[in-house]
């Protein structure tokens, strides 16, 4: 019989621990301590309470928990002494049916891993979808994590233990994240389309108006139609626009969406999560025969990444009335202009100005997005409330010194351009860290015509600085540039610096941020407020209407713009449920 939250809240401490037996391998102390956090408002609340017990436990107890788990395809499996839960999970992943070669490889990995870390390799083998990882994926993950630093890997082991526990709790409670499963599956299906040259390598790359890009647009449009949108179209810049009308024709509209293009060799969830989560919401509204007191518009933005053409935010910008006609003459790597690519796609330039939205007809813009960072996963939180999209400024610069012989030029007589930039990099790192929530990055560094035996006479570099608000960004930039001047004067070198990009911060509209907070709190998930270091389509819509974003935890340390980018079906389920609550609460506001 499936457990219930009411049953857990009413149980004695001993009954509570007994009901959760097997959730955490041979570690009843976790459930025993979590009982004190009752009453729980939801299964998500219970899961977080269990996670918090482990998080607050001393290191020796955490290591004991890790060591209580069996090796993958290890001695316990061979001797058939695994727990029932582990037997089921390893069997579902095919580990009970390894070839002799696979078994030998896993045994060697187990030995190497134990020798380095002193505990067994832990992996939630049922995976982010809950249906099981393939043996090749398990082995690849094993090999990758073997190179992690020890402290980091201990955290990764614990995060996988929590994922194992989450799936086991779903089984105990008879719960399936069906909406999250659908959203997951839609991502997998869309990822079948990728640009030539990448498909052959098994890599995901979808750039503006390629054949794969146009196929994605058609597939998203089909998904919208199946979900029950009243109208679906691909507009004059390639955006996929679906509308679910309100109860009355004159109702205002809530706008949402994100982008479906990708970086080269990117992940499946960046942008696309913000399309499929609201599609799931519309499908459920249609199934229930419900209409909201406002219209709901979901847009899959055609271009955000600026990969094929340097036209970042082209899709969302078109809705604000911005489209740079000079983009049309840009050429891609194959010499195809954007104008030619648009003609192939059948898009009409004369229709672009018609895409501009009248802000007075819109309530605002909300966006769901995978976090693209490690914060939520390290805090063991599934959702985060975005307080602001960071403002940024970028520079390209060069320090000019004097190239000289590396052996004959004394250290106190050098004018080393690279050393000057190195000093600047260290200063920028410390200065950004001083703010607590600013970041500074030198992502490009080049010594032109450098040689192993020559003191560098030139060093080219980039600077990317971001902060949650414009004054903080500007003060950071001013301090770093002033230090560049001081470094060059002290070292007897000179420099050039040119601003290449400047974007204003986009603070979340307080009333919309609060709506996200109310929705997340209702799920029993602790609130975590955080800035967005990356730019998003919400940044463009911010120019004409209020906006706020919801972040969803990514796994694999939250990595993004990378094939390892991923999230779980459970976290996607919570994202859909949070969006549904936001829609319902907004409807209640409109009728009171």
């Amino acid at each position: 019989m499936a457990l219930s939250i009411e049953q857990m809240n009413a149980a004695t401490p001993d009954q509570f621990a007994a009901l959760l037996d097997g959730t955490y391998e041979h570690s009843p102390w976790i459930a025993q301590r979590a009982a004190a956090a009752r009453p729980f408002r939801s299964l998500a609340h219970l899961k977080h309470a269990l996670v918090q017990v482990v998080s607050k436990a001393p290191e020796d107890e955490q290591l004991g928990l890790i060591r209580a788990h069996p090796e993958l395809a290890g001695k316990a499996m061979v001797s058939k002494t695994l727990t029932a839960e582990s037997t089921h999970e390893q069997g579902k992943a095919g580990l009970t049916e390894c070839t002799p070669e696979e078994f030998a490889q896993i045994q060697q990995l187990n030995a190497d891993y134990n020798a380095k870390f002193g505990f067994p390799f832990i992996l939630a083998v049922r995976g982010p979808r809950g249906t099981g990882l393939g043996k090749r994926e398990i082995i690849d993950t094993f090999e990758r994590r073997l190179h992690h630093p020890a402290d980091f890997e201990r955290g990764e082991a614990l995060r996988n233990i929590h994922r194992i526990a989450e799936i086991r709790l779903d089984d105990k409670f008879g719960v399936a994240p069906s909406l999250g499963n659908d959203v997951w599956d839609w991502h997998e299906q869309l990822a079948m389309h990728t640009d030539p040259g990448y498909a052959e390598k098994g890599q995901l790359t979808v750039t503006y108006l390629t054949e794969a890009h146009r196929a994605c647009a058609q597939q998203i449009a089909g998904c919208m139609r199946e979900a029950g949108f009243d109208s679906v179209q691909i507009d004059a810049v390639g955006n996929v626009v679906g509308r679910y009308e309100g109860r009355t024709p004159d109702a205002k509209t809530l706008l949402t969406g994100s982008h479906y293009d990708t970086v080269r060799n990117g992940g499946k969830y960046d942008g696309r999560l913000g399309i499929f989560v609201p599609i799931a919401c519309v499908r459920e509204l249609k199934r229930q025969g419900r209409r909201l007191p406002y219209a709901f518009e979901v847009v899959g933005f055609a271009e955000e990444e600026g990969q094929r053409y340097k036209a970042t935010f082209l899709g969302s910008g078109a809705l604000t009335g911005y489209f740079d006609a000079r983009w049309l003459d840009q050429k891609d790597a194959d010499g195809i202009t954007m104008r030619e690519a648009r003609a192939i796609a059948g898009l009409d330039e004369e229709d672009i100005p018609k895409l501009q939205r009248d802000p007075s007809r819109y309530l605002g813009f909300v966006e769901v997005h995978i976090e693209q960072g490690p914060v939520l996963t390290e805090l063991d939180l599934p959702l985060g409330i975005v307080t602001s999209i960071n403002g940024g400024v970028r520079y390209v610069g060069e320090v000019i010194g004097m190239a000289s012989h590396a052996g004959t030029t004394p250290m106190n007589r050098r004018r080393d351009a690279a050393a000057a930039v190195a000093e600047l990099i260290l200063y920028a790192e410390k200065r950004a860290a001083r703010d607590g929530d600013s970041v500074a990055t030198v992502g490009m560094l080049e010594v032109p015509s450098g040689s192993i035996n020559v003191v560098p006479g030139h060093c080219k570099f980039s600077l990317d600085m971001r902060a949650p608000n414009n004054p903080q960004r500007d003060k950071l930039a001013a301090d770093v540039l002033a230090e560049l001047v001081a470094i060059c004067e002290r070292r007897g070198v000179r420099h050039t610096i040119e601003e290449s990009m400047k974007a204003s911060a986009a603070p979340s509209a307080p009333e919309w941020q609060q709506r996200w907070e109310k929705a997340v709190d209702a799920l029993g998930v602790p609130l975590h407020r955080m800035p967005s270091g990356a730019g998003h389509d919400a940044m463009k819509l911010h120019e004409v209407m209020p906006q706020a974003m919801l972040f969803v935890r990514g796994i694999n340390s939250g990595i993004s713009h990378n094939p390892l980018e991923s999230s779980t079906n459970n976290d996607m389920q919570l994202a859909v449920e949070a969006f549904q609550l936001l829609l319902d609460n907004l409807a209640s506001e409109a009728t009171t």
Side-chain angles (χ1 to χ4, degrees):
M1 183 176 176
L3 299 179
S4 69
I5 289 296
E6 293 75 19
Q7 181 183 3
M8 301 304 297
N9 285 334
T12 67
D14 288 343
Q15 290 171 338
F16 181 90
L19 289 169
L20 294 183
D21 181 52
T23 302
Y24 285 89
E25 203 88 355
H26 304 298
S27 302
W29 57 270
I30 300 172
Q32 290 165 357
R33 294 179 197 175
R38 292 180 290 175
F40 299 118
R41 293 187 288 155
S42 64
L43 180 55
H45 188 189
L46 168 60
K47 290 174 180 177
H48 182 71
L50 294 165
V51 168
Q52 284 297 100
V53 168
V54 177
S55 177
K56 294 175 182 177
E59 183 178 325
D60 63 324
E61 285 189 321
Q62 293 180 351
L63 287 171
L65 169 63
I66 297 172
R67 290 171 180 148
H69 285 71
E71 292 181 336
L72 291 182
K75 296 176 182 177
M77 188 191 79
V78 174
S79 62
K80 302 188 185 304
T81 56
L82 291 173
T83 63
E85 292 86 358
S86 289
T87 299
H88 172 66
E89 288 155 359
Q90 294 204 25
K92 201 163 188 177
L95 294 175
T96 54
E97 299 175 1
C98 288
T99 66
E101 293 78 13
E102 290 169 337
F103 186 75
Q105 185 178 8
I106 292 174
Q107 291 305 300
Q108 185 59 56
L109 287 168
N110 275 322
D112 293 344
Y113 186 96
N114 265 294
K116 178 174 181 178
F117 298 114
F119 51 78
F121 174 70
I122 310 297
L123 180 65
V125 294
R126 284 177 66 178
R129 173 63 166 78
T131 51
L133 300 174
K135 285 182 286 186
R136 185 69 260 165
E137 188 173 358
I138 291 170
I139 291 170
D140 288 347
T141 304
F142 213 147
E143 291 176 333
R144 173 171 54 84
R145 283 175 46 189
L146 188 56
H147 300 290
H148 284 166
D151 286 351
F152 181 87
E153 183 57 20
R154 186 172 74 248
E156 196 70 359
L158 290 172
R159 284 186 283 274
N160 274 273
I161 287 171
H162 293 317
R163 176 59 181 161
I164 293 167
E166 175 167 63
I167 294 172
R168 291 177 179 180
L169 283 167
D170 285 351
D171 291 343
K172 284 179 177 289
F173 281 77
V175 171
S178 57
L179 296 173
N181 288 339
D182 289 342
V183 171
W184 169 277
D185 292 341
W186 291 338
H187 282 90
E188 291 296 307
Q189 292 158 12
L190 194 65
M192 294 170 59
H193 305 294
T194 186
D195 287 353
Y198 297 92
E200 297 83 349
K201 301 174 185 176
Q203 298 175 352
L204 178 63
T205 301
V206 177
T207 58
Y208 188 53
L209 296 183
T210 60
E211 184 177 348
H213 185 275
R214 300 195 304 274
C216 284
Q218 291 295 338
Q219 189 161 321
I220 293 168
C223 188
M224 287 179 171
R225 292 187 185 100
E226 290 178 11
F229 283 76
D230 296 306
S231 62
V232 180
Q233 64 169 321
I234 297 174
D235 71 17
V237 295
N239 295 330
V240 186
V241 183
R243 283 184 61 88
Y244 189 71
E245 301 299 340
R247 293 173 193 157
T248 58
D250 60 342
K252 287 191 175 183
T253 299
L254 174 63
L255 182 63
T256 190
S258 196
H259 62 98
Y260 63 91
D261 66 320
T262 76
V263 297
R264 292 179 175 86
N265 193 23
K268 301 172 184 176
Y269 307 93
D270 175 13
R272 297 170 175 199
L273 188 63
I275 302 170
F276 288 131
V277 165
I279 288 178
C281 292
V282 169
R283 188 189 64 182
E284 296 309 298
L285 287 169
K286 183 68 174 180
R287 285 177 173 177
Q288 297 161 15
R290 288 182 58 203
R291 291 285 170 178
L292 301 168
Y294 51 87
F296 189 37
E297 184 174 343
V298 181
V299 183
F301 295 115
E303 164 63 87
E304 190 255 18
E305 299 289 3
Q307 297 287 297
R308 186 180 183 188
Y309 303 103
K310 300 307 175 188
T312 307
F313 298 123
L314 179 155
S316 50
L319 272 60
T320 71
Y322 180 76
F323 184 89
D324 190 339
R326 292 173 295 182
W327 288 339
L328 296 170
D329 295 319
Q330 285 188 26
K331 293 182 179 180
D332 68 6
D334 296 319
I336 301 171
T337 66
M338 184 187 289
R339 181 177 280 106
E340 291 167 337
R342 288 177 51 80
I344 293 169
L347 303 180
D348 192 336
E349 291 173 31
E350 295 182 359
D351 291 334
I352 295 175
K354 302 173 187 176
L355 304 183
Q356 183 174 0
R357 302 302 196 263
D358 177 1
S360 69
R361 299 296 307 148
Y362 284 81
L363 297 168
F365 178 80
V366 290
E367 182 175 0
V368 174
H369 207 283
I370 195 166
E371 181 203 348
Q372 297 185 284
V375 174
L376 291 176
T377 190
E378 290 180 359
L379 291 172
D380 293 305
L381 291 173
L383 303 173
I385 309 296
V386 178
T387 56
S388 176
I389 304 170
N390 284 1
V393 61
R394 293 176 184 170
Y395 298 90
V396 290
E398 182 175 12
V399 171
I400 303 98
M402 177 66 72
S404 58
H405 197 292
T408 62
T409 309
M411 296 303 294
N412 63 353
R413 303 287 295 277
R414 296 182 176 211
R415 288 192 283 161
D416 188 328
V421 177
E423 190 175 342
L424 178 70
I425 293 171
L426 293 175
Y427 174 81
E429 182 180 58
K430 292 177 183 176
R431 174 60 186 81
R434 197 171 79 201
D435 288 344
D437 52 5
S438 294
V439 292
T441 306
V442 174
M444 295 190 297
L445 193 61
E446 178 191 1
V447 176
S449 304
S451 180
I452 196 169
N453 60 350
V454 176
V455 175
H458 291 261
C459 186
K460 295 181 178 181
F461 64 97
S462 64
L463 263 174
D464 181 307
M465 292 173 279
R466 309 186 193 200
N469 58 70
N470 295 340
Q472 185 172 321
R473 173 205 62 193
D474 294 343
K475 183 66 170 68
L476 170 65
D479 288 352
V480 171
L481 295 183
E483 185 66 15
L484 172 61
V485 171
I487 290 169
C488 290
E489 288 179 353
R490 187 168 60 250
R491 289 180 169 274
V493 297
R494 59 190 176 89
H495 74 277
T496 64
I497 194 82
E498 178 185 353
E499 182 182 296
S500 61
M501 186 280 289
K502 193 170 189 177
S504 294
S508 299
E511 67 276 15
W512 285 100
Q513 180 180 322
Q514 289 163 13
R515 289 183 179 110
W516 277 127
E517 290 176 0
K518 183 178 180 181
V520 171
D521 180 68
L523 295 173
V525 174
L527 297 181
H528 179 71
R529 301 172 182 90
M530 60 190 298
S532 170
H536 298 288
D537 289 299
M539 211 168 188
K540 290 301 295 182
L541 275 303
H542 177 83
E543 297 173 6
V544 297
M545 64 181 72
Q547 61 79 28
M549 293 185 67
L550 179 73
F551 273 168
V552 182
R553 167 174 53 187
I555 61 173
N556 296 323
S557 310
I559 195 168
S560 186
H561 285 184
N562 185 294
L564 292 174
E565 174 186 280
S566 190
S567 187
T568 68
N569 56 349
N570 288 84
D571 288 357
M572 292 180 188
Q573 175 81 22
L574 288 172
V576 176
E577 291 176 357
F579 212 137
Q580 289 176 315
L581 285 166
L582 181 143
L583 296 176
D584 290 344
N585 292 337
L586 187 61
S588 296
E589 291 176 30
T591 55
T592 56

